[in-house]
Amino acid sequence: MSEPTENAHRSFLSHAKLIGGLTLLSRLMGLARDVVASHVFGVGIVATAFSVAFTVPNLFRRLLGEGALSAAFIPLYAQAEKRSKTDTGESAADFASGSFNLLLLILIGITLIGEAILGWMLWADRDSARLDRRLLLQFTAVMLPYVLLVCSGAFLSAILQVHKRFGPPAFAPVLLNVCHIGVVAVGAWFLGLRGRDQQTDTVIALQTTLAFWLAIGVLVAGVLQVAVLWPALRAIGFRFNPRIAFWTPAAKQMLRLAAPLALAAGVLQLSVVIDEFVGWVFMQGMKDGSPVETFSLFGHVFRYPLALGAPRRIDLAQLLYQFPLGIFATALATAIFPKLSADALEPGHENFKRTLRQGIEAALWEGLPASVGLMLVCVPITKLLFQHGNTTPDDAVLIARSAFYFAGGIWAFSLLLVINRAYYALHDTVTPLWASVLNIVLNIAVELPLMWWMGESAIALGTMVSFIVQAMVMLYLLNRRLGGLGAGQLGKTVGKMLIATLAMGLVVWAITLTPIYPNSDTRQAWIMQLVIQVGLAVAVYFGLCQWLGVNLLSQLRRPKFRG
C-alpha cells in the first residue's frame, strides 16, 4: 500500500474510531433510556403507542435527513469543495446554504400537511373506543414537529462530515437520550409510578400523562441537537442565509439523485419502521378496557397473531442488534463516505476499489463476531436489561427470541452500510432502489405467513433473510461493475475472519455445557453468564485474528493522520 493511500486509510479508520466512541456513548445512553422506560411503562398499550408514534419522525429523519438528501448532497458537496465550486459554477458555500433552505421548505410542508392529516384522523376517530389507536394518533401529532428539527440537524451534520468534523454530529443524539431519561425518571417519581404497577385504568392514565410529557421532551431535545452543531458550523464558515437561492441547477441535480434515495438510502431504517408497523397492524388491540383478539377480512374472521405489546418488544429487540451497528458499522460507513465520494472522481477507480475493499473488511471484521456473539448471549442480556419493573419474564423471552433472529443478520447490515455508500458515491441511485424494493418485498413475503406460527419473531426472521439476500446481490453487482474488487485478497481476509468467528462460537457454546457455567435464573447468574461468554468470545476472536494476520484492530489503534 502506498504512503498516501495508507495515510488516507488510517485517517478514515481514525475518524470511524472517533465516531464510534461518541456513538458508543450515545448507544449506552440510549440503552439506559430504554431500560428506564421499560421499567416504568413495560410493553403495555401506552409504551407500544408511543414507540410506534416515535417511528414516524424517525422515518423522515432516516429518509430525508440521514437518507435521501444527505446521501445525494454529500458526494456533490464533497466534490464541489474539492473543486471550489459545483459543476454549474455555484460556490460550495452557496450550494450548502441553498440546499439547507430547500430542505427547510420541504420539512415545513411535510409538518403542516402531516398535522392536518393527523387532525382529520383524530376527528374521524372521535367516537371510537380503541384506546391504542387514539393514543398513537395523539402522540404522533405532538412529536411530528421533531421532523423539522431532527432532519435539519442530520443535514447540517452531513455538511460537517464533509469537513471531517465528526464529533458534534456523533454527540448530538446523546442529548435526546439525556432528555428522555430525565423526563421519565423525574416524571415517574412525580406521578408515583414505580414499576410493577398493575395495568389499571388509573395507571394507564398516569402513564399516558407521562408519555405526553416525554413527547414534549423529544421536541426540546430536537432544539438542543441543532444548537450543539452551530459552533462547529460557524468554524467551517457555514452561515444560514434564508435569502440564498435554493432552486439552482445544483439543487435540481441533488433532488434528481435524492428521489430514488428516498427509499434506498434508509433501507435498514425503513425496514425497522415496517417491522414495527406490521407488528402494530397484526397486534391485539384494546377497546373499552378489553383486548380485541380477532379481525374480519372479506367476510372471514381471523385471529390476530401477535399479542399486545408486540411492536414495543420488537423495538427492544432491534435495540440489541443495532447496538453493535451503531458502535462501529454506522461509524465506519459515515467516515468512509466522503473518501469514497472523492475517490470516485479519479479515473480507473483503483483508489476507490481499495478504499471500498478496506471498508468491507472492516465491516465484516466487526459484523461477523457480533452476529454470532449476540445469538449466543441474547437470553441473558435480554433478561438482565429488561426483565424488571413492568416488563415480565414472558416479555423478556419474546424479546430474546426476536433478538436471536435479528442478530443473524448483523454482518449483512454492516456490509450494506458500506456497499450503499459506494453506490451513492458513484451517483448510482437506481441499483440501491431496486435492491431496496427486493428487500422489502422479500421481508414481507417471509414474515407475514410465518407470524401465525412463529409470532412476532417471524418479523425478525424476515428482516434477517431479506438483508442477507440484498447484501449478497448488491456486492455481486458492484464487483461486476468495477471489474473486480480483488476477490482473492478479500476472500482470503474474510475467510480468516470466518474461521475466527466459527471457533469463537464453538468455544463459547462449549463453555455453556460445562459445570462451571451458572444456569440458575437469577440476576447474578445472568451477569456471570454474560461475563463468561463475552470475555471468552473477545479473547478467542481477537486472539485468532491476530494469529491469522487480520490486523484491523492494530490499524484502529494508530494515531490519526494529520497530513
Side-chain angles (χ1 to χ4, degrees), residues 270-351:
L270 185 62
S271 178
V272 170
V273 174
I274 289 174
D275 286 345
E276 288 208 32
F277 274 95
V278 167
W280 176 269
V281 169
F282 290 94
M283 177 194 75
Q284 297 176 6
M286 290 286 292
K287 185 175 182 178
D288 295 327
S290 301
V292 180
E293 299 180 347
T294 61
F295 66 97
S296 299
L297 184 65
F298 303 125
H300 297 278
V301 177
F302 297 92
R303 173 182 60 86
Y304 281 109
L306 307 182
L308 184 66
R312 180 55 179 162
R313 288 190 293 269
I314 292 167
D315 185 43
L316 294 175
Q318 289 169 342
L319 174 71
L320 294 178
Y321 89 84
Q322 289 176 1
F323 193 85
L325 287 178
I327 294 173
F328 189 83
T330 303
L332 173 67
T334 301
I336 202 175
F337 193 22
K339 179 72 168 61
L340 286 171
S341 299
D343 287 345
L345 290 173
E346 300 175 3
H349 290 151
E350 289 305 317
N351 285 335

Side-chain angles (χ1 to χ4, degrees), residues 33 96 98 152 160 213 289 315 329 421 472 543-544:
R33 175 195 74 191
S152 297
L160 291 173
W213 293 354
D315 185 43
R421 297 311 196 279
M472 293 297 95
L544 279 176

Side-chain angles (χ1 to χ4, degrees), residues 347-540:
H349 290 151
E350 289 305 317
N351 285 335
F352 180 88
K353 289 191 287 186
R354 187 179 297 110
T355 302
L356 176 59
R357 186 167 60 248
Q358 293 161 353
I360 291 172
E361 291 174 356
L364 291 177
W365 174 78
E366 178 265 353
L368 290 170
S371 282
V372 174
L374 183 55
M375 292 174 79
L376 290 168
V377 304
C378 61
V379 172
I381 197 170
T382 299
K383 290 184 175 182
L384 180 64
L385 292 176
F386 303 122
Q387 189 175 307
H388 52 79
N390 283 321
T391 304
T392 67
D394 290 339
D395 291 327
V397 169
L398 293 173
I399 294 168
R401 193 175 298 163
S402 295
F404 177 86
Y405 293 109
F406 279 131
I410 289 176
W411 66 270
F413 305 146
S414 302
L415 186 59
L416 268 176
L417 288 172
V418 173
I419 293 174
N420 275 336
R421 297 311 196 279
Y423 279 102
Y424 304 149
L426 294 170
H427 293 186
D428 179 359
T429 58
V430 175
T431 303
L433 171 62
W434 286 111
S436 299
V437 173
L438 170 66
N439 177 293
I440 293 169
V441 170
L442 183 58
N443 188 0
I444 294 175
V446 171
E447 66 188 33
L448 282 185
L450 291 179
M451 282 194 300
W452 274 266
W453 173 45
M454 296 178 61
E456 59 205 57
S457 60
I459 295 176
L461 178 62
T463 300
M464 179 190 73
V465 171
S466 62
F467 274 97
I468 291 175
V469 172
Q470 185 188 2
M472 293 297 95
V473 169
M474 291 188 71
L475 181 59
Y476 170 76
L477 294 176
L478 189 59
N479 182 67
R480 284 186 53 186
R481 174 174 180 166
L482 294 173
L485 291 172
Q489 180 181 345
L490 183 61
K492 183 178 179 181
T493 303
V494 174
K496 293 178 180 178
M497 295 178 192
L498 286 170
I499 292 171
T501 301
L502 179 60
M504 177 200 79
L506 289 173
V507 171
V508 173
W509 172 75
I511 199 70
T512 63
L513 304 178
T514 64
I516 66 170
Y517 186 76
N519 284 308
S520 59
D521 199 26
T522 64
R523 188 162 302 277
Q524 292 74 17
W526 303 332
I527 293 174
M528 288 305 302
Q529 288 170 7
L530 285 173
V531 169
I532 292 171
Q533 291 190 73
V534 173
L536 193 59
V538 169
V540 171

